[in-house]
Amino acid sequence: MASITFENVTKRFGDTVAVDDVSFEIRDNAFFCLFGPPLSGKSTILKLILGLEQPDEGEILIDGRPVSHVNPARRNVAMVFQNLALFPHMTALDNVCFPLVERRIAKEEIDAKVCDVSEKLHIGHILHKTPAQLSGGERQRVAIARALVRDPVAYLMDDPISALDARLREQTRVELRRIQQELGKTLVYVTHDQEEAMSVADMMAVFKDGKICQTGTPDTLYQRPNSTYVAGMLGAPAMNVLPMNMADMLGALAGPNGSKHFGVRPENLRITKGSDAMISEVEPLGGSTTVHITAGDVALTSTMLGQPQFEAGTQIGLAVNSGQTLFFDGAGNTLAAAQ
Amino acid sequence: MTDMTSNTPSRSQSQSAADEGAGREEKRLGFALTLPAQLLVLFIALFPILMQVYISLTDWSPLDGIPWYRAYELWIGLTNYVDLAGDPRFWSAIWRTLIVMLICVPVQFLLGLGLAILFVDEFPGRRAMYSTILVPMMVVPAVAGYMFFMLFQSGGPINGILSFLLGSSVQIAWLSDPDLALLGVIISDIWQWTPLMFLILLAGMLSVPQDQQMAAVLLGAGWWRRFFTIVLPRMKTIIVIAIAIRVIENFKVFDNFYIITGGGPGVATETISIYIYKVTQNDLIWGYVAAIALAILIVLSIVSGMAISRMRKG
Ligand SMILES: Nc1ncnc2c1ncn2[C@@H]1O[C@H](COP(=O)(O)OP(=O)(O)OP(=O)(O)O)[C@@H](O)[C@H]1O
Ligand SMILES: [Mg+2]
């Protein structure tokens, strides 16, 4: 059980600044998501925590203790790699035992630990197989089991389920959430899938070019993003970011001084009678419907539950749910929270 | 189903049975069309071997004045093989070849493996040193032979260096002492072919996925454990290949041995290929030579067969 703290950490690779003066704290037992587009430095953060890379500046603390001089194996932080890095020439059992054999633990104790872990992850019946004989989800669980038997203080996962298909991914992330809660350990989780991040994380940090844009609970980041960037990264379809001159048309309140844009989530944009805009496309998704709208040369999206009968080409009016608007300045920073 | 380019009438009937029939027909036609070429290839591959089998059953020599295809006039059955089995010089040549192989291959393997381990990780000057290490392999074996011939002369550089190190004049007759001559040729073989071993093993080592090794580090495995449980098992196939190549090559080694010692002094460094050469050139009993060559071919086939089946398993 451990908290992990970054204090003004910078990591460069030649001219690339992979992690740029980053500070944040991961509380004990948190399910913490690092979320950002490719090459934003997420994996580098994990390598820094593991000790596979050393920071050029700043300090990393695990449980309040600086770890710059602690070697990777001693940090007792477990890692599940993106491609899992199971050892293909060993059975699942040998894979899971691998970290135990090293420490010359008594046979009975190894058996007990393996039993315990395989029960938690439901892999008891596949331990005799080799990785090649396992399904994607099973391999996943074996890799997690191997990370867990050592009883690490925290575990890190680098986009561990991106290789799975959509349905299995949904199942696995629920599973991961359950496992994390059962074990009660800090989990640092990298993903580039916003839905995954929002669904599993207690806390998340949004990355861009090696910097953290915002840290907070998924709900906070969704409701009160501090910039158009964070607003755009979370939620699908993305938030409508519109020029202020459209505020009147949508019946939104005037923003604070300096507002250049305002943002409305698709679910807060309602379709009314009128002729300000036109439906360009209707996308029925079963439980909900996404309507693509054009107003002048601005494209907007609106989502609603059910399958309302709209037709492309229909003239419509637009309105926003009151109190659900964000205002941004010229640089894209949020000026005031929803009003 | 027939393949898309086929244009036989039955295709238009779009009946799968007919299609399949056409497929079989086409296969037969294809086979018939390629048959001459296949026979030619087979002939080229097998002819020398069959000819050898044939000659080895006769007492034919080019000096007999009859063409080889009439060698049956000198038919002696298995006599050559019987002679071979009781030929002490053949057995001692085989024995010597085995000794060379049993010393050279493990030494080359261990040196190559050691070098490969040193070269897996980046270090300053790695590229330059890498190229330097590969140089011996590029040297023409005959040239390497002359090089070692000079090095091992009793007034040559090796004795010179030893004299300098020991502070007194060393006059070891490396190549004319029957006990030391074999050492000379063994050293030249190791010098020349360790780089190949190194090259193959390094390639194998670099192909072991980095993240598996990293995972092992993070799971607490030290260097030795990582090497023996992750790296070596994944290199099995390539190790078998590397060793098989050297075993086979060592059986055939000739040029530098012939130049350094000519098989001498006496027969002290006479390996199997030098023995064959001498029998061919000096004694001209080709039937016997063919028998030796076939015997060796069989041995090598068994060796490579074992290597291949090992690879299939691994
Ligand atoms: N070992 C390295 N050598 C040089 N540059 C590196 C190295 N590792 C990372 N980088 C660079 O650092 C930056 C951040 O990389 P990082 O792998 O942390 O991104 P990421 O957010 O994990 O991306 P992805 O989502 O694609 O995995 C990139 O510009 C990358 O090219
Ligand atoms: Mg990454």
Side-chain angles (χ1 to χ4, degrees):
Chain A
M1 284 178 256
S3 63
I4 298 169
T5 314
F6 272 54
E7 286 176 354
N8 304 97
V9 173
T10 298
K11 175 70 196 175
R12 297 183 196 90
F13 294 105
D15 291 339
T16 330
V17 186
V19 172
D20 190 359
D21 193 19
V22 161
S23 300
F24 63 90
E25 194 194 340
I26 301 173
R27 276 182 303 101
D28 199 4
N29 296 351
F31 198 128
F32 195 94
C33 254
L34 307 177
F35 170 61
L39 304 184
S40 55
K42 309 177 298 287
S43 298
T44 308
I45 296 270
L46 295 193
K47 285 182 196 150
L48 287 164
I49 298 174
L50 288 165
L52 296 176
E53 298 287 356
Q54 292 297 323
D56 293 314
E57 283 161 35
E59 187 67 73
I60 297 165
L61 304 104
I62 296 180
D63 259 347
R65 278 189 297 275
V67 290
S68 350
H69 300 294
V70 183
N71 85 28
R74 288 274 159 75
R75 293 189 187 187
N76 204 11
V77 177
M79 171 81 167
V80 178
F81 288 84
Q82 171 156 12
N83 59 5
L84 308 180
L86 289 172
F87 307 130
H89 56 288
M90 301 181 192
T91 62
L93 180 65
D94 288 338
N95 267 282
V96 174
C97 289
F98 188 88
L100 297 177
V101 175
E102 177 65 19
R103 300 181 153 191
R104 299 195 180 76
I105 304 171
K107 176 104 178 50
E108 303 81 59
E109 203 177 323
I110 293 182
D111 290 346
K113 284 192 178 191
V114 171
C115 259
D116 186 39
V117 169
S118 44
E119 206 161 292
K120 275 190 185 119
L121 289 157
H122 312 299
I123 53 169
H125 59 293
I126 51 168
L127 283 176
H128 61 283
K129 298 188 180 175
T130 62
Q133 298 164 331
L134 300 175
S135 74
E138 289 169 339
R139 246 176 261 166
Q140 187 83 42
R141 296 208 293 273
V142 171
I144 296 173
R146 187 180 67 177
L148 292 186
V149 273
R150 263 184 97 178
D151 207 18
V153 292
Y155 38 108
L156 316 182
M157 299 189 182
D158 195 348
D159 225 344
I161 61 180
S162 60
L164 307 185
D165 69 61
R167 184 165 303 273
L168 197 53
R169 211 155 58 215
E170 267 168 43
Q171 282 169 11
T172 314
R173 76 183 186 220
V174 174
E175 191 93 322
L176 278 176
R177 178 79 225 177
R178 175 186 67 80
I179 294 167
Q180 192 267 340
Q181 275 167 354
E182 252 177 57
L183 294 165
K185 291 223 175 116
T186 313
L187 170 56
V188 186
Y189 189 91
V190 164
T191 178
H192 56 255
D193 179 338
Q194 57 92 19
E195 195 184 312
E196 196 173 302
M198 304 261 304
S199 75
V200 291
D202 299 322
M203 291 286 281
M204 60 191 283
V206 180
F207 278 79
K208 182 191 184 186
D209 300 335
K211 289 196 183 68
I212 291 188
C213 301
Q214 195 176 0
T215 314
T217 62
D219 196 45
T220 313
L221 298 199
Y222 189 78
Q223 302 296 342
R224 305 180 204 298
N226 66 2
S227 62
T228 48
Y229 176 75
V230 176
M233 288 293 287
L234 298 177
M239 178 184 265
N240 297 297
V241 177
L242 308 165
M244 281 311 286
N245 61 21
M246 285 180 74
D248 270 351
M249 181 187 108
L250 298 180
L253 294 173
N257 283 346
S259 301
K260 284 282 188 300
H261 291 93
F262 68 105
V264 183
R265 293 268 175 212
E267 63 269 29
N268 293 323
L269 184 67
R270 281 182 291 116
I271 293 174
T272 59
K273 287 204 161 52
S275 57
D276 296 327
M278 195 184 78
I279 294 177
S280 60
E281 204 180 318
V282 180
E283 205 182 338
L285 298 169
S288 66
T289 302
T290 300
V291 184
H292 299 266
I293 300 160
T294 50
D297 52 2
V298 182
L300 304 89
T301 50
S302 167
T303 54
M304 55 207 73
L305 291 178
Q307 294 179 312
Q309 297 305 309
F310 288 120
E311 256 178 53
T314 316
Q315 297 283 322
I316 52 165
L318 292 170
V320 295
N321 292 334
S322 61
Q324 302 290 343
T325 316
L326 291 167
F327 294 96
F328 304 104
D329 68 12
N333 295 317
T334 308
L335 285 171
Q339 38 177 286
Chain B
M1 285 290 127
T2 54
D3 76 275
M4 298 306 285
T5 53
S6 71
N7 202 15
T8 50
S10 63
R11 260 183 80 75
S12 55
Q13 301 171 358
S14 81
Q15 226 178 38
S16 71
D19 267 13
E20 255 163 44
R24 224 175 298 135
E25 219 166 81
E26 261 168 45
K27 248 185 216 158
R28 222 175 289 142
L29 178 68
F31 184 71
L33 287 176
T34 56
L35 193 62
Q38 290 192 17
L39 285 178
L40 184 67
V41 171
L42 205 64
F43 177 75
I44 292 172
L46 286 184
F47 178 74
I49 296 175
L50 293 177
M51 177 180 163
Q52 236 173 28
V53 174
Y54 171 54
I55 300 278
S56 76
L57 299 170
T58 70
D59 196 16
W60 183 78
S61 155
L63 297 183
D64 291 344
I66 52 172
W68 68 267
Y69 48 84
R70 278 176 52 210
Y72 59 81
E73 289 170 15
L74 301 166
W75 192 266
I76 53 170
L78 290 175
T79 313
N80 279 330
Y81 292 93
V82 175
D83 286 354
L84 191 59
D87 176 355
R89 204 166 149 199
F90 167 74
W91 287 111
S92 77
I94 288 270
W95 176 235
R96 223 168 277 118
T97 308
L98 282 177
I99 288 178
V100 169
M101 197 178 82
L102 288 176
I103 295 177
C104 286
V105 176
V107 171
Q108 285 163 355
F109 173 72
L110 289 177
L111 284 178
L113 191 66
L115 284 170
I117 290 170
L118 291 179
F119 275 78
V120 193
D121 295 317
E122 193 65 50
F123 60 83
R126 179 173 177 250
R127 271 169 166 275
M129 281 187 61
Y130 176 75
S131 319
T132 316
I133 288 185
L134 296 188
V135 167
M137 201 174 88
M138 323 276 188
V139 174
V140 179
V143 174
Y146 274 114
M147 224 169 70
F148 276 88
F149 178 72
M150 317 272 251
L151 284 173
F152 280 117
Q153 289 308 301
S154 50
I158 291 191
N159 279 342
I161 292 171
L162 286 178
S163 306
F164 176 78
L165 289 177
L166 298 174
S168 64
S169 168
V170 176
Q171 291 288 333
I172 301 174
W174 291 101
L175 302 181
S176 45
D177 181 329
D179 294 329
L180 290 177
L182 201 58
L183 187 66
V185 289
I186 284 174
I187 289 176
S188 86
D189 192 78
I190 291 174
W191 176 83
Q192 182 149 39
W193 295 113
T194 297
L196 179 69
M197 202 62 119
F198 160 69
L199 192 67
I200 299 175
L201 294 177
L202 181 63
M205 219 173 269
L206 288 175
S207 72
V208 177
Q210 273 298 308
D211 52 2
Q212 282 179 24
Q213 300 200 49
M214 205 137 72
V217 172
L218 293 171
L219 293 171
W223 190 92
W224 286 103
R225 175 133 191 263
R226 228 154 60 227
F227 185 72
F228 284 109
T229 58
I230 313 293
V231 179
L232 268 192
R234 309 230 41 200
M235 287 175 64
K236 253 188 219 156
T237 310
I238 211 124
I239 289 175
V240 173
I241 294 175
I243 289 181
I245 289 178
R246 285 313 306 151
V247 165
I248 293 171
E249 286 292 309
N250 250 307
F251 241 95
K252 302 191 298 188
V253 71
F254 179 76
D255 324 32
N256 46 354
F257 280 49
Y258 188 72
I259 287 165
I260 296 174
T261 63
V267 293
T269 58
E270 191 173 273
T271 58
I272 194 68
S273 41
I274 291 180
Y275 177 51
I276 294 179
Y277 174 78
K278 284 184 176 167
V279 177
T280 319
Q281 293 300 308
N282 306 343
D283 308 343
L284 287 169
I285 31 179
W286 283 27
Y288 193 53
V289 170
I292 303 177
L294 271 176
I296 291 170
L297 182 71
I298 290 165
V299 172
L300 291 187
S301 304
I302 292 171
V303 171
S304 39
M306 285 190 320
I308 288 170
S309 78
R310 182 78 195 75
M311 258 154 55
R312 288 242 176 83
K313 263 187 260 154

Short mmCIF file of all heavy atoms in Angstrom, two decimals, chain B residues 119-158:
data_model
loop_
_atom_site.label_atom_id
_atom_site.label_comp_id
_atom_site.label_asym_id
_atom_site.label_seq_id
_atom_site.Cartn_x
_atom_site.Cartn_y
_atom_site.Cartn_z
N PHE B 119 28.02 -7.76 -26.12
CA PHE B 119 27.58 -6.85 -27.18
C PHE B 119 26.08 -6.61 -27.23
O PHE B 119 25.60 -5.88 -28.09
CB PHE B 119 28.07 -7.36 -28.54
CG PHE B 119 29.46 -6.92 -28.86
CD1 PHE B 119 30.55 -7.55 -28.29
CD2 PHE B 119 29.70 -5.85 -29.72
CE1 PHE B 119 31.84 -7.15 -28.56
CE2 PHE B 119 30.99 -5.44 -30.00
CZ PHE B 119 32.06 -6.09 -29.42
N VAL B 120 25.31 -7.25 -26.34
CA VAL B 120 23.86 -7.03 -26.40
C VAL B 120 23.54 -5.59 -26.05
O VAL B 120 22.69 -4.95 -26.66
CB VAL B 120 23.09 -7.92 -25.40
CG1 VAL B 120 21.61 -7.90 -25.71
CG2 VAL B 120 23.58 -9.32 -25.46
N ASP B 121 24.22 -5.09 -25.03
CA ASP B 121 23.91 -3.72 -24.60
C ASP B 121 24.80 -2.72 -25.31
O ASP B 121 25.93 -3.01 -25.68
CB ASP B 121 24.09 -3.61 -23.08
CG ASP B 121 23.09 -4.47 -22.35
OD1 ASP B 121 21.92 -4.47 -22.76
OD2 ASP B 121 23.50 -5.18 -21.41
N GLU B 122 24.23 -1.55 -25.49
CA GLU B 122 24.94 -0.46 -26.14
C GLU B 122 26.11 -0.01 -25.26
O GLU B 122 26.00 0.03 -24.04
CB GLU B 122 23.94 0.70 -26.32
CG GLU B 122 24.40 1.80 -27.23
CD GLU B 122 24.57 1.34 -28.66
OE1 GLU B 122 23.65 0.70 -29.22
OE2 GLU B 122 25.64 1.61 -29.22
N PHE B 123 27.27 0.26 -25.88
CA PHE B 123 28.36 0.91 -25.14
C PHE B 123 29.16 1.71 -26.16
O PHE B 123 29.08 1.44 -27.37
CB PHE B 123 29.23 -0.10 -24.40
CG PHE B 123 29.91 -1.13 -25.27
CD1 PHE B 123 31.10 -0.85 -25.92
CD2 PHE B 123 29.34 -2.39 -25.45
CE1 PHE B 123 31.71 -1.79 -26.72
CE2 PHE B 123 29.94 -3.34 -26.25
CZ PHE B 123 31.14 -3.03 -26.90
N PRO B 124 29.93 2.69 -25.72
CA PRO B 124 30.65 3.52 -26.68
C PRO B 124 31.63 2.67 -27.49
O PRO B 124 32.32 1.84 -26.93
CB PRO B 124 31.41 4.53 -25.80
CG PRO B 124 30.87 4.38 -24.42
CD PRO B 124 30.14 3.11 -24.32
N GLY B 125 31.64 2.87 -28.78
CA GLY B 125 32.56 2.12 -29.63
C GLY B 125 32.06 0.74 -30.01
O GLY B 125 32.79 -0.06 -30.58
N ARG B 126 30.80 0.44 -29.70
CA ARG B 126 30.25 -0.89 -29.95
C ARG B 126 30.31 -1.26 -31.43
O ARG B 126 30.74 -2.35 -31.79
CB ARG B 126 28.82 -0.93 -29.45
CG ARG B 126 28.09 -2.24 -29.66
CD ARG B 126 26.76 -2.14 -28.95
NE ARG B 126 25.91 -3.30 -29.10
CZ ARG B 126 24.79 -3.29 -29.83
NH1 ARG B 126 24.43 -2.21 -30.47
NH2 ARG B 126 24.05 -4.37 -29.91
N ARG B 127 29.90 -0.30 -32.27
CA ARG B 127 29.86 -0.59 -33.70
C ARG B 127 31.23 -0.92 -34.27
O ARG B 127 31.41 -1.91 -34.99
CB ARG B 127 29.29 0.61 -34.47
CG ARG B 127 27.81 0.55 -34.60
CD ARG B 127 27.24 1.86 -35.11
NE ARG B 127 25.86 1.64 -35.53
CZ ARG B 127 25.52 1.19 -36.72
NH1 ARG B 127 26.45 0.95 -37.63
NH2 ARG B 127 24.26 0.98 -37.02
N ALA B 128 32.19 -0.08 -33.92
CA ALA B 128 33.55 -0.28 -34.44
C ALA B 128 34.10 -1.63 -33.98
O ALA B 128 34.65 -2.39 -34.77
CB ALA B 128 34.45 0.85 -33.97
N MET B 129 33.91 -1.95 -32.70
CA MET B 129 34.43 -3.21 -32.19
C MET B 129 33.73 -4.40 -32.81
O MET B 129 34.34 -5.42 -33.10
CB MET B 129 34.28 -3.25 -30.66
CG MET B 129 35.36 -2.44 -29.98
SD MET B 129 35.34 -2.61 -28.21
CE MET B 129 35.64 -4.34 -27.98
N TYR B 130 32.45 -4.23 -33.03
CA TYR B 130 31.65 -5.27 -33.65
C TYR B 130 32.22 -5.63 -35.02
O TYR B 130 32.45 -6.79 -35.35
CB TYR B 130 30.22 -4.75 -33.75
CG TYR B 130 29.24 -5.63 -34.44
CD1 TYR B 130 28.73 -6.75 -33.82
CD2 TYR B 130 28.79 -5.32 -35.72
CE1 TYR B 130 27.81 -7.55 -34.45
CE2 TYR B 130 27.87 -6.11 -36.36
CZ TYR B 130 27.38 -7.23 -35.72
OH TYR B 130 26.47 -8.01 -36.35
N SER B 131 32.48 -4.58 -35.82
CA SER B 131 33.02 -4.83 -37.16
C SER B 131 34.39 -5.49 -37.07
O SER B 131 34.72 -6.39 -37.85
CB SER B 131 33.15 -3.53 -37.94
OG SER B 131 32.04 -2.72 -37.73
N THR B 132 35.20 -5.06 -36.11
CA THR B 132 36.53 -5.62 -35.97
C THR B 132 36.47 -7.11 -35.65
O THR B 132 37.20 -7.91 -36.22
CB THR B 132 37.30 -4.90 -34.84
OG1 THR B 132 37.08 -3.51 -34.97
CG2 THR B 132 38.77 -5.21 -34.90
N ILE B 133 35.57 -7.45 -34.76
CA ILE B 133 35.46 -8.85 -34.36
C ILE B 133 35.08 -9.75 -35.52
O ILE B 133 35.47 -10.91 -35.60
CB ILE B 133 34.44 -8.99 -33.20
CG1 ILE B 133 35.05 -8.42 -31.93
CG2 ILE B 133 34.05 -10.45 -32.99
CD1 ILE B 133 34.20 -8.61 -30.71
N LEU B 134 34.33 -9.19 -36.47
CA LEU B 134 33.88 -10.02 -37.59
C LEU B 134 34.95 -10.23 -38.66
O LEU B 134 34.79 -11.06 -39.54
CB LEU B 134 32.63 -9.40 -38.23
CG LEU B 134 31.40 -9.34 -37.31
CD1 LEU B 134 30.19 -8.91 -38.10
CD2 LEU B 134 31.15 -10.70 -36.67
N VAL B 135 36.05 -9.47 -38.58
CA VAL B 135 37.06 -9.54 -39.63
C VAL B 135 37.58 -10.96 -39.91
O VAL B 135 37.59 -11.39 -41.06
CB VAL B 135 38.22 -8.56 -39.37
CG1 VAL B 135 39.40 -8.84 -40.27
CG2 VAL B 135 37.72 -7.13 -39.57
N PRO B 136 37.99 -11.73 -38.88
CA PRO B 136 38.56 -13.05 -39.16
C PRO B 136 37.69 -13.91 -40.07
O PRO B 136 38.18 -14.62 -40.94
CB PRO B 136 38.68 -13.69 -37.77
CG PRO B 136 38.78 -12.55 -36.83
CD PRO B 136 37.96 -11.44 -37.43
N MET B 137 36.38 -13.78 -39.86
CA MET B 137 35.43 -14.56 -40.64
C MET B 137 35.50 -14.24 -42.13
O MET B 137 35.22 -15.08 -42.97
CB MET B 137 34.05 -14.20 -40.11
CG MET B 137 32.98 -15.16 -40.38
SD MET B 137 31.53 -14.57 -39.49
CE MET B 137 30.81 -13.49 -40.68
N MET B 138 35.88 -12.99 -42.44
CA MET B 138 35.90 -12.56 -43.84
C MET B 138 37.21 -12.96 -44.53
O MET B 138 37.31 -12.91 -45.75
CB MET B 138 35.79 -11.03 -43.94
CG MET B 138 34.89 -10.42 -42.93
SD MET B 138 33.20 -10.48 -43.49
CE MET B 138 32.41 -9.51 -42.23
N VAL B 139 38.22 -13.32 -43.75
CA VAL B 139 39.50 -13.66 -44.35
C VAL B 139 39.37 -14.98 -45.11
O VAL B 139 38.75 -15.93 -44.62
CB VAL B 139 40.58 -13.78 -43.25
CG1 VAL B 139 41.89 -14.27 -43.83
CG2 VAL B 139 40.76 -12.45 -42.55
N VAL B 140 39.93 -15.03 -46.31
CA VAL B 140 39.92 -16.28 -47.08
C VAL B 140 40.66 -17.34 -46.26
O VAL B 140 41.76 -17.09 -45.79
CB VAL B 140 40.65 -16.08 -48.42
CG1 VAL B 140 40.67 -17.37 -49.21
CG2 VAL B 140 39.99 -14.94 -49.20
N PRO B 141 40.05 -18.51 -46.06
CA PRO B 141 40.68 -19.53 -45.20
C PRO B 141 42.12 -19.83 -45.58
O PRO B 141 42.97 -20.01 -44.71
CB PRO B 141 39.77 -20.74 -45.39
CG PRO B 141 38.45 -20.16 -45.73
CD PRO B 141 38.72 -18.91 -46.50
N ALA B 142 42.42 -19.87 -46.88
CA ALA B 142 43.79 -20.18 -47.28
C ALA B 142 44.73 -19.09 -46.79
O ALA B 142 45.85 -19.36 -46.32
CB ALA B 142 43.86 -20.29 -48.81
N VAL B 143 44.28 -17.83 -46.87
CA VAL B 143 45.11 -16.72 -46.40
C VAL B 143 45.31 -16.83 -44.89
O VAL B 143 46.41 -16.66 -44.38
CB VAL B 143 44.45 -15.37 -46.77
CG1 VAL B 143 45.23 -14.22 -46.16
CG2 VAL B 143 44.35 -15.24 -48.28
N ALA B 144 44.22 -17.15 -44.20
CA ALA B 144 44.32 -17.33 -42.75
C ALA B 144 45.32 -18.44 -42.46
O ALA B 144 46.12 -18.35 -41.52
CB ALA B 144 42.96 -17.67 -42.17
N GLY B 145 45.29 -19.48 -43.28
CA GLY B 145 46.21 -20.58 -43.11
C GLY B 145 47.66 -20.10 -43.19
O GLY B 145 48.47 -20.38 -42.31
N TYR B 146 47.98 -19.32 -44.22
CA TYR B 146 49.35 -18.80 -44.37
C TYR B 146 49.73 -17.92 -43.19
O TYR B 146 50.85 -17.97 -42.69
CB TYR B 146 49.49 -18.00 -45.67
CG TYR B 146 49.81 -18.92 -46.82
CD1 TYR B 146 48.94 -19.12 -47.88
CD2 TYR B 146 51.04 -19.63 -46.82
CE1 TYR B 146 49.23 -19.99 -48.90
CE2 TYR B 146 51.33 -20.50 -47.86
CZ TYR B 146 50.43 -20.68 -48.89
OH TYR B 146 50.73 -21.54 -49.89
N MET B 147 48.73 -17.13 -42.71
CA MET B 147 48.98 -16.25 -41.58
C MET B 147 49.43 -17.06 -40.36
O MET B 147 50.43 -16.75 -39.72
CB MET B 147 47.67 -15.53 -41.25
CG MET B 147 47.80 -14.09 -40.97
SD MET B 147 46.14 -13.40 -40.93
CE MET B 147 45.52 -14.10 -39.44
N PHE B 148 48.67 -18.12 -40.07
CA PHE B 148 49.02 -18.91 -38.89
C PHE B 148 50.30 -19.71 -39.12
O PHE B 148 51.06 -19.94 -38.20
CB PHE B 148 47.85 -19.81 -38.48
CG PHE B 148 46.85 -19.08 -37.62
CD1 PHE B 148 45.82 -18.39 -38.20
CD2 PHE B 148 47.01 -19.04 -36.24
CE1 PHE B 148 44.92 -17.69 -37.42
CE2 PHE B 148 46.13 -18.34 -35.46
CZ PHE B 148 45.08 -17.66 -36.05
N PHE B 149 50.52 -20.09 -40.38
CA PHE B 149 51.76 -20.79 -40.72
C PHE B 149 52.96 -19.92 -40.33
O PHE B 149 53.91 -20.39 -39.71
CB PHE B 149 51.76 -21.10 -42.22
CG PHE B 149 52.99 -21.78 -42.68
CD1 PHE B 149 53.23 -23.11 -42.34
CD2 PHE B 149 53.93 -21.11 -43.46
CE1 PHE B 149 54.38 -23.75 -42.78
CE2 PHE B 149 55.08 -21.75 -43.89
CZ PHE B 149 55.30 -23.07 -43.54
N MET B 150 52.87 -18.63 -40.69
CA MET B 150 53.94 -17.69 -40.34
C MET B 150 54.02 -17.49 -38.83
O MET B 150 55.09 -17.52 -38.24
CB MET B 150 53.69 -16.32 -40.98
CG MET B 150 53.23 -16.36 -42.39
SD MET B 150 54.61 -16.40 -43.49
CE MET B 150 54.45 -14.76 -44.13
N LEU B 151 52.84 -17.27 -38.22
CA LEU B 151 52.82 -16.98 -36.78
C LEU B 151 53.50 -18.07 -35.98
O LEU B 151 54.18 -17.81 -34.99
CB LEU B 151 51.38 -16.82 -36.30
CG LEU B 151 50.67 -15.52 -36.65
CD1 LEU B 151 49.20 -15.59 -36.25
CD2 LEU B 151 51.35 -14.34 -35.97
N PHE B 152 53.29 -19.33 -36.41
CA PHE B 152 53.75 -20.45 -35.61
C PHE B 152 55.15 -20.93 -35.97
O PHE B 152 55.62 -21.91 -35.42
CB PHE B 152 52.76 -21.62 -35.72
CG PHE B 152 51.55 -21.45 -34.84
CD1 PHE B 152 50.29 -21.34 -35.39
CD2 PHE B 152 51.69 -21.40 -33.46
CE1 PHE B 152 49.18 -21.18 -34.59
CE2 PHE B 152 50.59 -21.24 -32.65
CZ PHE B 152 49.32 -21.12 -33.21
N GLN B 153 55.83 -20.27 -36.92
CA GLN B 153 57.21 -20.66 -37.22
C GLN B 153 58.05 -20.57 -35.95
O GLN B 153 57.76 -19.74 -35.08
CB GLN B 153 57.81 -19.72 -38.29
CG GLN B 153 57.22 -19.93 -39.68
CD GLN B 153 57.28 -21.37 -40.11
OE1 GLN B 153 58.36 -21.96 -40.18
NE2 GLN B 153 56.13 -21.97 -40.39
N SER B 154 59.08 -21.39 -35.88
CA SER B 154 59.82 -21.38 -34.61
C SER B 154 60.52 -20.04 -34.39
O SER B 154 60.75 -19.64 -33.26
CB SER B 154 60.80 -22.56 -34.54
OG SER B 154 61.56 -22.59 -35.72
N GLY B 155 60.84 -19.33 -35.49
CA GLY B 155 61.36 -17.98 -35.29
C GLY B 155 60.28 -16.92 -35.43
O GLY B 155 60.56 -15.74 -35.60
N GLY B 156 59.01 -17.34 -35.39
CA GLY B 156 57.89 -16.44 -35.68
C GLY B 156 57.41 -15.64 -34.49
O GLY B 156 57.92 -15.77 -33.38
N PRO B 157 56.40 -14.82 -34.73
CA PRO B 157 55.92 -13.87 -33.73
C PRO B 157 55.43 -14.51 -32.43
O PRO B 157 55.63 -13.95 -31.37
CB PRO B 157 54.75 -13.17 -34.43
CG PRO B 157 54.94 -13.44 -35.87
CD PRO B 157 55.67 -14.73 -35.99
N ILE B 158 54.81 -15.69 -32.52
CA ILE B 158 54.27 -16.26 -31.29
C ILE B 158 55.39 -16.61 -30.33
O ILE B 158 55.35 -16.26 -29.15
CB ILE B 158 53.38 -17.49 -31.61
CG1 ILE B 158 52.12 -16.97 -32.31
CG2 ILE B 158 53.06 -18.28 -30.35
CD1 ILE B 158 51.02 -17.94 -32.47
#
